Amino acid sequence: MIPQAEKMSPPAPIPAPLARQLGLQARRLIPPRERGAMSSEVSRRILSTDEAAGAKVLCGYSALGEEVDLRDLFEAFGAQGGSLCLPRISGEQLE
């Protein structure tokens, strides 16, 4: 018998460091080809928004490791005449 929703307790929260570790592990399991397709889909979805259509400047980041790679987004945005802002790290300073 499945318990009724009103009688069920919400799941206990996961401590942030553990949640981050589990997320990173899960991301590493995604095959590179699939990760590339997912990154392209993220870029496509962002570009399809009204906010992106009217934007002159886009802020982003350079992907490291298994992070979402937004190069498709940056290239398409630049081809539309937009400017791109990326953080720059100089030693221990974020500029």
Side-chain angles (χ1 to χ4, degrees):
M1 183 169 166
I2 299 174
Q4 294 181 9
E6 62 268 10
K7 294 182 182 179
M8 294 177 63
S9 302
I14 298 174
L18 177 58
R20 177 165 172 69
Q21 180 183 12
L22 293 172
L24 291 172
Q25 288 175 351
R27 198 166 62 193
R28 284 186 198 108
L29 295 175
I30 300 171
R33 182 181 220 153
E34 187 176 339
R35 189 178 317 116
M38 294 166 87
S39 292
S40 293
E41 179 64 12
V42 168
S43 295
R44 187 195 66 73
R45 287 183 183 198
I46 291 171
L47 280 172
S48 71
T49 65
D50 292 339
E51 293 83 2
K56 305 268 189 269
V57 177
L58 177 68
C59 297
Y61 64 90
S62 293
L64 298 174
E66 294 85 19
E67 293 178 335
V68 173
D69 187 345
L70 299 174
R71 282 181 289 182
D72 291 349
L73 172 62
F74 300 157
E75 290 172 10
F77 191 77
Q80 295 173 3
S83 297
L84 177 62
C85 295
L86 297 174
R88 182 178 133 184
I89 299 174
S90 177
E92 295 295 317
Q93 299 290 355
L94 179 64
E95 299 177 351

